[in-house]
Amino acid sequence: QVQLVESGGATVGSGDSLTLSCAASEVTLNYYAVGWFRQVPGGEREGIACISNRDGTTSYADSVKGRFTISRDNAKRTVNLQMQSLQPEDTAVYFCAADSAWLSYCSLTYTSMYGFWGQGTQVTVSS
């Protein structure tokens, strides 16, 4: 059973930057498609960034495009989400998800694509 652990959540001010990391127990994420999702209380889970495993194809939600970057740190065997120009509307619990299916795409909407999910990390952006 793959267990994912997110880290890096914090409370920051508007305009600040923050990097989240997703790590896995027992396996290396280097060969997994990984997605980052976020959810506010009472809201639906929103896919914001993902990276495929076969060729590194990335996809971003319009709400974060140009501000967030998903990348692999193969040495640390993590997938990171670098977030810049954070705004109060970015406040949410952020989750990473992963799957080993060898694909040249990833999905922000088809959450069933991902077989493994982390517990989430809180990001709060104050105005």
Side-chain angles (χ1 to χ4, degrees):
Q1 181 74 6
V2 175
Q3 293 185 327
L4 302 180
V5 178
E6 302 93 341
S7 62
T11 298
V12 297
S14 181
D16 285 351
S17 299
L18 193 64
T19 298
L20 305 182
S21 291
C22 177
S25 62
E26 310 297 335
V27 299
T28 172
L29 286 179
N30 295 1
Y31 304 110
Y32 282 69
V34 175
W36 279 98
F37 297 79
R38 65 186 182 187
Q39 190 170 20
V40 299
E44 294 186 355
R45 193 163 292 189
E46 175 192 15
I48 55 174
C50 66
I51 185 167
S52 72
N53 49 3
R54 184 167 185 172
D55 60 5
T57 298
T58 58
S59 183
Y60 296 93
D62 288 343
S63 59
V64 305
K65 197 171 294 182
R67 299 189 299 125
F68 291 12
T69 303
I70 188 171
S71 63
R72 296 185 184 277
D73 186 331
N74 289 335
K76 295 183 179 179
R77 302 190 296 179
T78 61
V79 175
N80 299 328
L81 183 68
Q82 184 178 7
M83 305 184 292
Q84 298 178 320
S85 302
L86 285 163
Q87 301 301 315
E89 52 266 36
D90 294 315
T91 295
V93 177
Y94 284 70
F95 301 86
C96 67
D99 200 83
S100 60
W102 194 245
L103 299 170
S104 297
Y105 67 88
C106 57
S107 178
L108 299 178
T109 56
Y110 184 48
T111 56
S112 297
M113 168 182 176
Y114 302 96
F116 308 104
W117 290 80
Q119 294 298 307
T121 187
Q122 177 70 47
V123 173
T124 302
V125 184
S126 60
S127 57

